[in-house]
Amino acid sequence: MIETRTDGLAAAGAAAYTRGVRPLVRPPRLRAGDRVRLVAPCSPVPAPRLRAASEVLEAWGLRVELAPHVRARHPRLPYLAGEDATRAADLQQAWCDPGVAAVFCVRGGDGAHRTLEHLDFDAMRGAPPKALVGFSDITALHEAFAVELGVATVHGPVVGTKYFVGDTVAQQALRTALFEPEHGTVLTSPGAHALVPGRARGVTFGGNLSLLNDGLAAPYSRLSARGGLLILEDVGEDVARLDRMLTHLLRTGWLEGVAGIVLGTWTDCPPGLGVVADLMRDRLAPLGVPVLWGLEFGHCAAQLTIPLGVPAVLDAEGGVLELAVPGLA
C-alpha cells in the first residue's frame, strides 16, 4: 500500500529510507490555476529559454512565478546560478510555500550537491508534498527529497533547456505526468529491449549515473538500492568512465538487492552506444536481475517523464516499465 500521510516524516522515519527503496508519499496532481515556481538550483539558465518555459507552462493554465534569484550568477564560478546558500534558499522557500503546487527546476548542469547542506530539511518536512521536476544534476535533489522528506518526485525535463523548450513531445509527456498521471503509467520506447530478460517488481528511483556515484556514502543519499527499480542515464562520459562508476557502485555493495535496472540514453558517450551496451551487460548481468536497454529518458529529444518513488513492474523482454499507481495522487 502507498503511504499517503502528508504531515512529513520524522527524522528516524526518514532515516529508514536510506536502507533501501520504498514507496514514497505521492504529491497531488496539478490543475489549471495552480501556482508553480521556477528555481535554478544548479547552473544558470539563458533568459530567452526562461521566458519560453514560462510561456509554455502558462499555456497549460498554470500561474508561473520565478524564484527571486532564478536569474542570478555566481560572482566567481560561472557554472553556478548564484551562491550555494542563495540557490538553496530559493528552493526551500518554494517548497515551504503552501500555495505553490509544484517546483520546476530550470536547468541541471552543476551545483545541486552543493545546495544540500544549506537546506533545512526539518522545516521542509512540515510542508505539504508537491511535485519537484527535473533531471540530470537534479538527481541529487531527487535522492535527498526521497531520503529526508519521503516524497515522490518527477524525473522529467528541466524546463529552461532544449529538453523542454521547443520539444512538444517532451512537453506533452511531462504535462500528462503532472495533470493526468493515470494516462502515463505505461512507459516504453520503440527500441527498448532486454539486455537481461525477466520481470521484476520494485520502486522507481535513480537518474543520472554520475550524480548517484558522486553521492555514494554522502549525507542525504541512500545506503542501498535494495528493492528498487533503478533508472540510469548519463551524458558526455566515455565508456571507461562509465565502467569506473558502475564498478564503484558494485564494489561498495550498493547495488546488492536491486530488483531491476532500466537504462535510458547515453548521449555523447564515446566510442558509441554498442560499446556502452556491452559494458552494461558485462557489469550488470551478474546481478541476476532484469535489465532493460533503450527507454528514452535522459539527455535526449522527446524524453519520457518517469515518476520516482512509486511501485512499478519492469518487463525487460516486453520493453515496458509499468507503474502500479499514477506518479501523482
Side-chain angles (χ1 to χ4, degrees), residues 39 143 198 232 252 271:
V39 300
E143 282 290 283
L232 288 176
T252 61

Side-chain angles (χ1 to χ4, degrees), residues 193-237:
H193 63 276
L195 284 187
V196 180
R199 289 172 58 90
R201 296 178 181 273
V203 176
T204 57
F205 83 112
N208 185 267
L209 173 58
S210 299
L211 270 291
L212 292 169
N213 185 66
D214 290 346
L216 195 66
Y220 318 114
S221 296
R222 291 173 224 261
L223 299 180
S224 171
R226 182 171 298 277
L229 293 174
L230 173 61
I231 73 168
L232 288 176
E233 64 84 33
D234 219 318
V235 61
E237 300 284 359

Side-chain angles (χ1 to χ4, degrees), residues 106-292:
V106 296
R107 191 181 165 192
D110 297 284
H113 274 137
R114 295 178 53 138
T115 67
L116 297 178
E117 277 71 29
H118 297 275
L119 294 172
D120 183 348
F121 285 108
D122 286 337
M124 295 172 72
R125 287 184 196 104
K130 61 197 67 177
L132 173 75
V133 182
F135 84 111
S136 193
D137 201 55
I138 307 304
T139 297
L141 300 179
H142 289 312
E143 282 290 283
F145 279 45
V147 170
E148 296 297 327
L149 305 180
V151 174
T153 55
V154 180
H155 187 283
V158 277
V159 295
T161 71
K162 66 180 181 180
Y163 300 109
F164 183 78
V165 173
D167 190 331
T168 56
V169 176
Q171 290 171 12
Q172 184 57 46
L174 179 58
R175 189 188 186 285
T176 297
L178 296 176
F179 284 83
E180 301 174 313
E182 66 277 6
H183 297 308
T185 57
V186 178
L187 302 169
T188 189
S189 298
H193 63 276
L195 284 187
V196 180
R199 289 172 58 90
R201 296 178 181 273
V203 176
T204 57
F205 83 112
N208 185 267
L209 173 58
S210 299
L211 270 291
L212 292 169
N213 185 66
D214 290 346
L216 195 66
Y220 318 114
S221 296
R222 291 173 224 261
L223 299 180
S224 171
R226 182 171 298 277
L229 293 174
L230 173 61
I231 73 168
L232 288 176
E233 64 84 33
D234 219 318
V235 61
E237 300 284 359
D238 66 66
V239 71
R241 168 78 174 150
L242 297 175
D243 190 342
R244 287 195 295 272
M245 290 188 282
L246 286 172
T247 300
H248 187 212
L249 295 180
L250 289 164
R251 293 182 66 214
T252 61
W254 188 80
L255 283 171
E256 291 178 5
V258 70
I261 299 174
V262 182
L263 301 172
T265 54
W266 305 90
T267 304
D268 298 330
C269 290
L273 290 179
V275 179
V276 174
D278 287 342
L279 166 68
M280 296 297 167
R281 187 182 294 106
D282 177 83
R283 292 279 73 193
L284 300 177
L287 291 169
V289 302
V291 179
L292 176 63

